[in-house]
Amino acid sequence: MEKKNYSILEKIDQLGLVLFGESNKDILHSVGPTYQTQVKNAFDIDRPSIGPKYALMKVTNRCNSGCIYCNHSIYSTTPVSQNEPSTQEIKHTIDEVANIGALSINLTGGEPLLRQDLPEIVQYIYEKNLVSILLTNGLILEKRWSEFIPKHLDCMLLTLDSFDPKLYSIQRGADFSHAWAGFESSLKLRDSSPSTSVFVTVTVTRSNLLELPKIVEKLSEYDVPVWFSPYHHYNINEVDENTPSDSKEIEEVINTLLAMQENGYPIANSQTYLKQFGPFFLKSAQLPDWYRCYAGYIGVYIDAELNVRPCWSWSLPVVGNLRKQDLDSIWNSELFYQQRKRIKNLDCSRCWLLCTAEPSIRFLVWGKNQS
């Protein structure tokens, strides 16, 4: 297997980007240990002594894709909320996120690009000296990418589960030609705005499992790193047709990905995270004995109705609403304290999502892979 070298992986420290909004490794390593100690002390007493370092914010529940694994799908029977925040409410939320000490905001949905004010929101994040991260399916990016050139977008995460048009259509309920146009547009944005980094995220299912090494190969041609995340089957009342179930195939694919990563291919996940895919798929969401989830300590989650959540797990209640309370009061509330205790005991949906498990792993081992 030919060794690859990608300067983008050297320029961006994944842990720094996700947790601190900081890409300078020297600064990261000087800040990191102190912050780690503060959070671990807070974890022991279930109460934070400092604010979160990143925020994930759903700016809309509307979507233009029909993903088989998402409740925001255009085919979902769940009514779409008509109560999404105004531009001014989002800016006020960004102010609160900055004031509480966070360094980065991940804008997600639904599909954020359905908001016409999104470039204005990204620019405001920049003005508040925060790192902006945009999660998008890219289906309408071809029409909008140039709007972000002067807006200082730091990172774009493009969801792209397959390069096979038929498989993509089945898994994501959309036309692959629009997704490919979106991918090409993300590269144009990266080339036009060197401060913008582009990543691809892939949700791993039974359908695309065997394609994963090919996806890495394809993305390596464009110097685009990839994040993998396992499919989560939450609806126990429906037959699970999407979770990989062949242990041999899972092991072979994961071992191939680990080898490719060792050889320099742009796989952004930690090895620890990838190695857990097999047990998670095959043993009913089994998590490692050593694992501790730091959701609720290092991050804050805000949905499209401005509800604040300890994480995206719907097994945990809303802990406040930013239309009624300020973020600092919610973060330090008794209700949030009770949910942190549940998370600490993994009394939740026990996920292995990128936005909770991967930051927790990287926080636990501080950027080092655990065997």
Side-chain angles (χ1 to χ4, degrees):
M1 187 178 298
E2 182 182 355
K3 184 176 179 64
K4 304 282 185 177
N5 292 299
Y6 293 99
S7 60
I8 190 169
L9 292 181
E10 297 172 359
K11 289 190 293 184
I12 298 178
D13 186 291
Q14 303 303 321
L15 181 62
L17 184 65
V18 174
L19 281 186
F20 302 106
E22 178 56 66
S23 59
N24 185 303
K25 290 186 178 182
D26 291 335
I27 295 176
L28 172 65
H29 291 308
S30 66
V31 172
T34 300
Y35 176 66
Q36 185 186 38
T37 299
Q38 290 174 317
V39 173
K40 283 192 172 181
N41 290 340
F43 189 81
D44 290 339
I45 61 174
D46 307 310
R47 295 182 184 275
S49 57
I50 53 176
K53 289 303 178 187
Y54 67 93
L56 286 87
M57 182 177 184
K58 292 188 178 184
V59 294
T60 183
N61 284 328
R62 293 176 290 137
C63 195
N64 54 352
S65 188
C67 301
I68 57 177
Y69 44 74
C70 184
N71 62 348
H72 295 308
S73 166
I74 55 175
Y75 304 117
S76 173
T77 57
T78 303
V80 176
S81 171
Q82 302 300 314
N83 197 28
E84 67 182 37
S86 66
T87 306
Q88 193 55 43
E89 284 180 316
I90 289 179
K91 287 184 176 181
H92 179 70
T93 299
I94 293 168
D95 290 339
E96 294 219 46
V97 167
N99 290 340
I100 204 172
L103 297 175
S104 64
I105 297 182
N106 185 330
L107 302 174
T108 180
E111 173 46 53
L113 285 174
L114 292 176
R115 290 192 65 115
Q116 293 305 306
D117 59 356
L118 192 64
E120 181 181 350
I121 292 169
V122 169
Q123 176 65 24
Y124 192 73
I125 292 172
Y126 170 77
E127 292 171 0
K128 301 301 292 187
N129 200 31
L130 301 173
V131 169
S132 57
I133 303 170
L134 172 61
L135 178 63
T136 174
N137 60 35
L139 294 178
I140 57 174
L141 188 59
E142 183 180 22
K143 300 176 181 178
R144 303 203 61 187
W145 70 271
S146 60
E147 298 176 46
F148 293 91
I149 293 176
K151 301 302 182 182
H152 305 95
L153 176 65
D154 290 293
C155 183
M156 176 175 288
L157 303 177
L158 195 70
T159 56
L160 189 60
D161 292 349
S162 175
F163 284 106
D164 181 303
K166 183 178 179 180
L167 178 55
Y168 178 90
S169 178
I170 292 173
Q171 184 148 318
R172 298 196 62 87
D175 190 322
F176 176 74
S177 64
H178 297 308
W180 181 251
F183 176 71
E184 292 183 317
S185 297
S186 73
L187 300 181
K188 292 178 183 178
L189 176 60
R190 184 184 67 180
D191 294 342
S192 302
S193 179
S195 63
T196 301
S197 301
V198 174
F199 295 76
V200 161
T201 66
V202 176
T203 298
V204 179
T205 67
R206 188 179 305 179
S207 299
N208 68 355
L209 175 68
L210 298 180
E211 190 190 353
L212 302 188
K214 294 180 181 179
I215 291 174
V216 176
E217 289 273 8
K218 184 72 172 179
L219 291 174
S220 72
E221 298 173 9
Y222 300 94
D223 289 355
V224 174
V226 57
W227 293 92
F228 293 110
S229 181
Y231 166 75
H232 287 59
H233 184 71
Y234 288 126
N235 193 339
I236 60 175
N237 296 316
E238 293 183 358
V239 176
D240 183 2
E241 298 178 344
N242 300 309
T243 298
S245 58
D246 188 312
S247 60
K248 183 178 180 180
E249 288 183 350
I250 295 170
E251 182 179 9
E252 289 179 351
V253 169
I254 295 303
N255 285 341
T256 298
L257 295 180
L258 293 172
M260 294 179 78
Q261 186 184 57
E262 289 287 347
N263 279 279
Y265 281 86
I267 298 172
N269 298 97
S270 65
Q271 290 193 3
T272 304
Y273 183 77
L274 291 174
K275 288 176 181 179
Q276 188 60 25
F277 276 35
F280 185 81
F281 284 142
L282 300 172
K283 299 179 181 179
S284 300
Q286 176 178 307
L287 301 181
D289 292 338
W290 53 263
Y291 179 66
R292 299 294 180 270
C293 183
Y294 283 85
Y297 291 90
I298 57 180
V300 65
Y301 303 76
I302 304 166
D303 70 22
E305 295 184 356
L306 296 184
N307 294 311
V308 177
R309 297 177 175 276
C311 72
W312 286 142
S313 172
W314 296 103
S315 66
L316 300 173
V318 169
V319 293
N321 185 278
L322 293 175
R323 288 184 170 125
K324 302 175 182 178
Q325 304 155 274
D326 65 85
L327 183 55
D328 184 72
S329 296
I330 296 171
W331 181 257
N332 292 290
S333 68
E334 181 66 20
L335 181 55
F336 211 146
Y337 158 66
Q338 294 296 334
Q339 303 320 306
R340 288 191 184 96
K341 289 181 66 176
R342 291 184 61 184
I343 293 172
K344 182 176 181 177
N345 295 322
L346 296 179
D347 177 20
C348 54
S349 58
R350 300 174 65 86
C351 76
W352 200 244
L353 293 171
L354 275 175
C355 60
T356 52
E358 189 71 278
S360 292
I361 290 170
R362 290 169 184 259
F363 179 81
L364 280 164
V365 300
W366 208 244
K368 297 180 181 179
N369 290 324
Q370 177 164 327
S371 302

